[in-house]
Amino acid sequence: PLYDRVTKLHLIGSAFDDADLLEILAFRRLERLSLMGTGVSPEGIARLRAALPRCRIETDPKIAGIPLRQAPAQIVPLTGREAVGKVD
């Protein structure tokens, strides 16, 4: 099945929110998940991190609960037409 092959999933700017979190758990091989610009709450991010500990989850600083001026370099806010900030 497709769920067994996907390692990267980008839901940037989608209507995805906490009600949809169970859908993500089927992707057990995820290594990177981009949720920037979605409606996922800080609590939802915490649940995903607990359920998918090997997955790097990219999100907006405000969703991660980090004020923008204190955001670490790996959390890059989106501007304009950018899709994904440099995270490596």
Side-chain angles (χ1 to χ4, degrees):
L2 178 65
Y3 294 122
D4 292 338
R5 295 181 298 192
V6 174
T7 59
K8 296 177 185 173
L9 185 59
H10 302 284
L11 299 171
I12 299 166
S14 70
F16 192 84
D17 63 19
D18 288 359
D20 303 307
L21 293 180
L22 286 178
E23 301 284 332
I24 294 297
L25 298 181
F27 294 91
R28 301 306 296 175
R29 296 189 65 204
L30 275 183
E31 296 171 5
R32 178 175 264 165
L33 174 62
S34 299
L35 295 173
M36 292 170 274
T38 66
V40 179
S41 71
E43 294 81 14
I45 297 293
R47 285 196 300 267
L48 283 172
R49 286 193 171 127
L52 300 168
R54 292 182 295 216
C55 182
R56 171 182 259 161
I57 299 174
E58 302 166 352
T59 187
D60 300 307
K62 66 178 183 166
I63 293 173
I66 302 169
L68 185 56
R69 67 186 179 286
Q70 296 176 4
Q74 70 267 23
I75 299 178
V76 180
L78 298 180
T79 59
R81 294 182 52 102
E82 297 171 42
V84 177
K86 183 170 174 55
V87 176
D88 299 324

